[in-house]
Amino acid sequence: LDNGGHYIINVFNFKLGFSRYCYFELRETKTQQDLFECLINAFKTIGGVPKSILFDNMKTVVDIENGRRKVNNKMKAFADDFGFKILLCKPRHSFTKGKVESSNKFIDWIIPYDGEFKDIEELKNIISGINKKVNQSVSQTTGIPPLALFQKEKEYLSPLPCTNIIESYLNFEQKV
């Protein structure tokens, strides 16, 4: 909450390619720890890990060295531990991330709730409701709700790694 009574939030957006199944999570910060926790929560929600994930060129994933993009070591280790390949969007080529960009209309979906929540927990509940609605609504691209196609896509997910690996990436302070 800033001084003017406004929430400054970040919404993690994870979308599966075939089904267009979405997972949204509200975060107050956008650190690499937030990214790891959001990915873990998304993997738990969908019941597995995709073979590859396309990332925008965000600081939590990519380092720029001598003008070249390079996946940072912590992110590389996370991907190796969870068993997925990191793919990077081409800079200035928005079409490479069109599936996710289409669900980034999130602001349009949340505007009607302006002032209709009293705290961050209530806002999280609103986002959860929007998430359910998005996954149950017919996709303009496929003509089928993401939830229906997700049942088939689930078969192609890799299993989650062991609990020790998952726990090693969770923020210790939040476990108390």
Side-chain angles (χ1 to χ4, degrees), residues 20-74:
R20 287 8 185 221
Y21 185 89
C22 292
Y23 172 80
F24 301 127
E25 185 173 329
L26 181 140
R27 285 289 165 143
E28 294 180 59
T29 58
K30 49 184 177 181
T31 65
Q32 190 171 53
Q33 183 63 41
D34 286 311
L35 176 61
F36 291 161
E37 291 172 10
C38 287
L39 284 167
I40 290 168
N41 292 339
F43 298 157
K44 286 179 176 179
T45 298
I46 64 172
V49 181
K51 305 279 186 257
S52 61
I53 301 176
L54 178 66
F55 288 93
D56 200 348
N57 295 292
M58 46 201 201
K59 293 177 190 175
T60 53
V61 176
V62 177
D63 292 334
I64 306 292
E65 292 180 6
N66 301 324
R68 301 185 70 140
R69 300 177 306 147
K70 175 184 172 258
V71 175
N72 70 52
N73 291 334
K74 281 186 180 178

Side-chain angles (χ1 to χ4, degrees), residues 3-158:
N3 295 342
H6 295 91
Y7 284 97
I8 299 170
I9 62 165
N10 301 283
V11 177
F12 171 80
N13 180 355
F14 177 88
K15 190 174 213 177
L16 293 174
F18 173 72
S19 65
R20 287 8 185 221
Y21 185 89
C22 292
Y23 172 80
F24 301 127
E25 185 173 329
L26 181 140
R27 285 289 165 143
E28 294 180 59
T29 58
K30 49 184 177 181
T31 65
Q32 190 171 53
Q33 183 63 41
D34 286 311
L35 176 61
F36 291 161
E37 291 172 10
C38 287
L39 284 167
I40 290 168
N41 292 339
F43 298 157
K44 286 179 176 179
T45 298
I46 64 172
V49 181
K51 305 279 186 257
S52 61
I53 301 176
L54 178 66
F55 288 93
D56 200 348
N57 295 292
M58 46 201 201
K59 293 177 190 175
T60 53
V61 176
V62 177
D63 292 334
I64 306 292
E65 292 180 6
N66 301 324
R68 301 185 70 140
R69 300 177 306 147
K70 175 184 172 258
V71 175
N72 70 52
N73 291 334
K74 281 186 180 178
M75 188 66 213
K76 218 181 282 182
F78 181 87
D80 289 345
D81 286 344
F82 281 78
F84 67 88
K85 182 178 176 185
I86 296 174
L87 305 174
L88 297 176
C89 290
K90 289 183 179 183
R92 295 172 296 285
H93 286 80
S94 60
F95 59 86
T96 62
K97 54 185 175 179
K99 290 175 187 171
V100 170
E101 289 295 329
S102 67
S103 59
N104 276 346
K105 298 174 190 158
F106 204 84
I107 297 298
D108 296 338
W109 299 329
I110 207 156
I111 285 174
Y113 296 95
D114 186 29
E116 292 188 24
F117 51 90
K118 63 179 185 272
D119 58 23
I120 203 81
E121 286 308 310
E122 211 170 294
L123 182 55
K124 285 180 182 181
N125 289 335
I126 289 168
I127 289 171
S128 177
I130 290 170
N131 203 153
K132 284 179 188 166
K133 186 177 178 182
V134 167
N135 286 322
Q136 293 172 353
S137 300
V138 173
S139 165
Q140 289 182 344
T141 306
T142 65
I144 301 170
L147 195 55
L149 290 175
F150 173 62
Q151 300 311 315
K152 178 69 177 162
E153 190 170 23
K154 240 185 332 198
E155 299 171 19
Y156 297 96
L157 299 174
S158 301

Side-chain angles (χ1 to χ4, degrees), residues 40 44 82 162-171 175:
I40 290 168
K44 286 179 176 179
F82 281 78
C162 69
T163 305
N164 290 345
I165 289 174
I166 294 171
E167 291 292 322
S168 73
Y169 285 97
L170 296 177
N171 190 340
K175 289 192 245 175

